[in-house]
Amino acid sequence: MTLRSYLVPEDFIGMRIDAVLSSFTGISRTKCADLVADQKVWLDGQVVAKSALRISMQCVIEVDIPAPPAEQPQETPVPGMQVIYEDTDIIVVDKPAGVAAHASLNFEGPNVLGALLAAGVQLTTSGPPERKGIVHRLDVGTSGCMVVAKSEQAYTVLKRAFKERTVTKIYHALVQGLPDPLSGTIDAPIGRDYRHQWKMGVRENGKHAITHYDVIEVMPRAALCEIHLETGRTHQIRVHMAAIKHPCVGDEMYGADPVHAARLQLQRQWLHAVKLGFSHPITGKYVEFSSSYPTDLHNSLEHLRTGFDPNNF
């Protein structure tokens, strides 16, 4: 049993308990309703009988979230996922958009770990079974370079490197408008936005987060930025760029214009991990890997560069 407790503030008064629980845990509302039906949710110490129950005052919700089964991750082939580099200790892949780093309760689509297993790649047994070898993650909607550990030593060393921020992580993001100044640093803590499922935000009690950006190309209604991450919080680039009023193009969750995205035929945020560098966990030699823009991102840029008419908006 994994019992979690949440203090629910007055902001949530009037909302259904399954919706509130979903906001706090990130688990889908349907699965939260199932937890209520299984009598695994308590409100101020009393078992909740109906998922339609509405919050009437500040309270404490407790929930017994089942641990994921201790079994091998499912093999999930991912067409189009390319291997950039591989040796006996690490494998670096070019992750397509629409693919998670590993399986989770909230995403039932393909994932990098399952794809590697389907390809017969032998990975370390370090880490939880459902995400063994995973030392960092990219959002489902973000494409680009991602490294996975194959040996025990590689897992330990790389986990430490990401924790100690000695890894070079460079992204390109197409953002709405033109950031001012053209180069800058965003230093703002990031935490969960409990009113919206899976969404993060700048919050005073959030985790320390620093993002550096440089505008490298200006286009109609948009700017291409090179972004260096000093920390690695969930949705960090998306949250920070939205916080300065320049969300990633196509990122409707964080306030991007859906009409703009539709004109560019974008189905996700324009965000790509172009470069990943670190000291090799075995040799100690610095290695660096890069990824080209996938077709959807490349095409949207060309559309902007060659005759895109902002007056059509």
Side-chain angles (χ1 to χ4, degrees), residues 15-16 83 126 147 204 230:
M15 292 180 60
R16 286 171 52 121
V83 174
S126 296
V147 62
E204 290 185 3
E230 191 168 317

PDB file of all heavy atoms in Angstrom, residues 15-16 83 126 147 204 230:
ATOM      1  N   MET A  15     -15.780  21.264  -6.165  1.00  0.00           N
ATOM      2  CA  MET A  15     -15.324  20.316  -7.178  1.00  0.00           C
ATOM      3  C   MET A  15     -15.564  18.880  -6.732  1.00  0.00           C
ATOM      4  O   MET A  15     -15.528  18.568  -5.540  1.00  0.00           O
ATOM      5  CB  MET A  15     -13.838  20.519  -7.475  1.00  0.00           C
ATOM      6  CG  MET A  15     -13.520  21.833  -8.163  1.00  0.00           C
ATOM      7  SD  MET A  15     -11.737  22.046  -8.489  1.00  0.00           S
ATOM      8  CE  MET A  15     -11.389  20.614  -9.553  1.00  0.00           C
ATOM      9  N   ARG A  16     -15.771  17.993  -7.699  1.00  0.00           N
ATOM     10  CA  ARG A  16     -15.926  16.560  -7.399  1.00  0.00           C
ATOM     11  C   ARG A  16     -14.620  15.998  -6.865  1.00  0.00           C
ATOM     12  O   ARG A  16     -13.529  16.401  -7.272  1.00  0.00           O
ATOM     13  CB  ARG A  16     -16.335  15.803  -8.655  1.00  0.00           C
ATOM     14  CG  ARG A  16     -17.767  16.011  -9.088  1.00  0.00           C
ATOM     15  CD  ARG A  16     -18.005  15.386 -10.449  1.00  0.00           C
ATOM     16  NE  ARG A  16     -17.569  13.987 -10.515  1.00  0.00           N
ATOM     17  CZ  ARG A  16     -18.380  12.969 -10.813  1.00  0.00           C
ATOM     18  NH1 ARG A  16     -19.664  13.191 -11.075  1.00  0.00           N
ATOM     19  NH2 ARG A  16     -17.917  11.738 -10.871  1.00  0.00           N
ATOM     20  N   VAL A  83      18.623   4.864 -33.325  1.00  0.00           N
ATOM     21  CA  VAL A  83      19.724   4.789 -32.371  1.00  0.00           C
ATOM     22  C   VAL A  83      20.841   5.698 -32.861  1.00  0.00           C
ATOM     23  O   VAL A  83      21.339   5.544 -33.970  1.00  0.00           O
ATOM     24  CB  VAL A  83      20.237   3.346 -32.219  1.00  0.00           C
ATOM     25  CG1 VAL A  83      21.486   3.313 -31.337  1.00  0.00           C
ATOM     26  CG2 VAL A  83      19.158   2.460 -31.623  1.00  0.00           C
ATOM     27  N   SER A 126      19.068  -1.966 -12.840  1.00  0.00           N
ATOM     28  CA  SER A 126      18.988  -0.918 -11.825  1.00  0.00           C
ATOM     29  C   SER A 126      17.758  -0.054 -12.050  1.00  0.00           C
ATOM     30  O   SER A 126      17.336   0.175 -13.178  1.00  0.00           O
ATOM     31  CB  SER A 126      20.245  -0.041 -11.859  1.00  0.00           C
ATOM     32  OG  SER A 126      21.395  -0.783 -11.527  1.00  0.00           O
ATOM     33  N   VAL A 147      19.366   9.472 -23.461  1.00  0.00           N
ATOM     34  CA  VAL A 147      20.297   8.390 -23.157  1.00  0.00           C
ATOM     35  C   VAL A 147      19.671   7.430 -22.149  1.00  0.00           C
ATOM     36  O   VAL A 147      18.942   7.842 -21.241  1.00  0.00           O
ATOM     37  CB  VAL A 147      21.642   8.930 -22.616  1.00  0.00           C
ATOM     38  CG1 VAL A 147      21.454   9.693 -21.307  1.00  0.00           C
ATOM     39  CG2 VAL A 147      22.654   7.806 -22.433  1.00  0.00           C
ATOM     40  N   GLU A 204       5.616  29.559  -5.750  1.00  0.00           N
ATOM     41  CA  GLU A 204       6.568  29.961  -4.717  1.00  0.00           C
ATOM     42  C   GLU A 204       7.154  28.772  -3.966  1.00  0.00           C
ATOM     43  O   GLU A 204       8.310  28.791  -3.570  1.00  0.00           O
ATOM     44  CB  GLU A 204       5.892  30.914  -3.726  1.00  0.00           C
ATOM     45  CG  GLU A 204       5.576  32.291  -4.299  1.00  0.00           C
ATOM     46  CD  GLU A 204       5.020  33.233  -3.253  1.00  0.00           C
ATOM     47  OE1 GLU A 204       4.938  32.804  -2.068  1.00  0.00           O
ATOM     48  OE2 GLU A 204       4.676  34.369  -3.604  1.00  0.00           O
ATOM     49  N   GLU A 230      19.697  24.434 -16.940  1.00  0.00           N
ATOM     50  CA  GLU A 230      20.602  24.254 -15.817  1.00  0.00           C
ATOM     51  C   GLU A 230      20.032  23.221 -14.848  1.00  0.00           C
ATOM     52  O   GLU A 230      20.773  22.488 -14.195  1.00  0.00           O
ATOM     53  CB  GLU A 230      20.824  25.587 -15.113  1.00  0.00           C
ATOM     54  CG  GLU A 230      21.948  25.563 -14.110  1.00  0.00           C
ATOM     55  CD  GLU A 230      22.335  26.951 -13.640  1.00  0.00           C
ATOM     56  OE1 GLU A 230      22.432  27.861 -14.477  1.00  0.00           O
ATOM     57  OE2 GLU A 230      22.546  27.113 -12.417  1.00  0.00           O
TER      58      GLU A 230
END
